Amino acid sequence: MNWTIDELNRAAATCSCGLMHHPIAIREIVVEQCALQRAAAFVKTSFRHVSIFADANTFQAAGSALVDMLGELGVTCGCCIMEPDANGDVVADERTLMQGFLSCSPNTEAILAVGAGTIHDIARFCSFTMKIPFISVPTAASVDGFTSAGAPLIVRGVKQTFQTQAPIALFADVNVLAESPKRLAVSGFGDMLGKYTSLADWKFGHLVADEPYCPWIASLTADALQTCVDHVHEIQAVAQRAYPCSCVP
């Protein structure tokens, strides 16, 4: 079933799972061509000073164009291009978190996460700590948690998940997603398959340890998982174009 955000909030308000509440904090989700223009227009309605978090690749893919669009609308836009580690990877650790904090001026009213999972985790934690909102601008379908409130970070060499905040809006430009490395779409499909295990773990934790459990949220997750599985052949075709060595069955 396709839900609007208003429908989700109405359903959450009447959910009988016993939890106090689980409202949908996100205001708008746009997945279409020209979503970058929609993102710039959304920012213009609420903010005058924002900061873009990206890495070198995602800034080239979408961040640079977004800076230009925001500038034309009169929005002051700072940029934080996350530096890779010795292996060439951007890691959500103390070093990149500090880079994010230092890149934001006192006037920064919102952060735009332009990238994939790691960039979002950094932006999510920084914005939550600074008590400002962040906006999600995915550049690849590589993970399943763009609207999540959890931020997995590496602190003193150990990965920990911090509960922070969800984005107030998400704008995914399908032209940008289509141009991303195909292996990232394969990664995102694998992330979704993990829902088989996580849903079972959640139900087990509820039955054994009386952990909070919401059948309605579980059903939403299962529906999203089934949608991916129903399109496995299309995703497989993408994977085979990405890996012509036939390592994908």
Side-chain angles (χ1 to χ4, degrees), residues 10-11 17-18 24 52-53 65 80 95 106 118 122 128 140 157 176 178 182 194 199-200 207 226 229 238 243 249:
R10 285 195 294 271
C17 69
I24 310 300
I52 284 183
F53 283 20
C80 179
R95 183 176 62 88
T118 299
I122 298 168
F128 177 75
V176 174
K182 299 301 183 289
L199 285 170
L207 295 174
Q226 190 60 49
V229 173
V238 170
Y243 301 105

Side-chain angles (χ1 to χ4, degrees), residues 1-248:
M1 177 178 180
N2 293 321
W3 297 75
T4 67
I5 294 174
D6 287 342
E7 288 170 341
L8 286 170
N9 272 312
R10 285 195 294 271
T14 59
C15 182
S16 60
C17 69
L19 300 178
M20 290 297 293
H21 57 81
H22 30 62
I24 310 300
I26 194 165
R27 302 178 198 167
E28 189 167 356
I29 296 177
V30 176
V31 183
E32 63 182 28
Q33 294 183 0
C34 302
L36 291 182
Q37 288 90 331
R38 294 278 300 276
F42 178 88
V43 170
K44 169 65 176 175
T45 62
S46 302
F47 308 109
R48 294 178 299 172
H49 305 277
V50 299
S51 180
I52 284 183
F53 283 20
D55 62 29
N57 293 327
T58 63
F59 186 77
Q60 181 178 359
S64 178
L66 197 49
V67 169
D68 292 341
M69 294 175 193
L70 291 169
E72 292 175 359
L73 294 174
V75 178
T76 301
C77 187
C79 296
C80 179
I81 311 302
M82 298 296 170
E83 298 177 0
D85 63 9
N87 297 317
D89 299 318
V90 174
V91 179
D93 58 9
E94 298 97 330
R95 183 176 62 88
T96 51
L97 289 174
M98 186 56 64
Q99 185 184 353
F101 283 127
L102 293 176
S103 71
C104 293
S105 75
N107 295 327
T108 301
E109 298 170 327
I111 294 173
L112 278 67
V114 181
T118 299
I119 296 297
H120 276 68
D121 293 332
I122 298 168
R124 187 176 284 113
F125 185 85
C126 288
S127 65
F128 177 75
T129 304
M130 297 170 64
K131 295 181 172 55
I132 60 176
F134 91 96
I135 296 167
S136 168
V137 185
T139 56
S142 56
V143 296
D144 65 359
F146 288 112
T147 59
S148 170
L153 307 174
I154 297 175
V155 179
R156 297 180 181 177
V158 178
K159 178 169 280 192
Q160 305 175 47
T161 297
F162 295 82
Q163 285 304 305
T164 57
Q165 64 184 6
I168 61 169
L170 178 146
F171 299 91
D173 193 307
V174 295
N175 292 327
V176 174
L177 298 181
E179 291 298 320
S180 68
K182 299 301 183 289
R183 59 182 174 81
L184 298 181
V186 178
S187 173
F189 182 71
D191 216 9
M192 285 299 299
L193 290 182
K195 291 292 178 283
Y196 282 118
T197 303
S198 64
L199 285 170
D201 286 345
W202 191 16
K203 187 63 177 289
F204 181 78
H206 174 65
L207 295 174
V208 173
D210 199 28
E211 294 180 359
Y213 180 78
C214 178
W216 175 65
I217 292 177
S219 70
L220 289 178
T221 305
D223 288 345
L225 169 60
Q226 190 60 49
T227 298
C228 288
V229 173
D230 288 344
H231 292 84
V232 63
H233 295 299
E234 294 96 323
I235 298 171
Q236 179 190 39
V238 170
Q240 288 176 330
R241 289 196 296 272
Y243 301 105
C245 62
S246 300
C247 57
V248 176

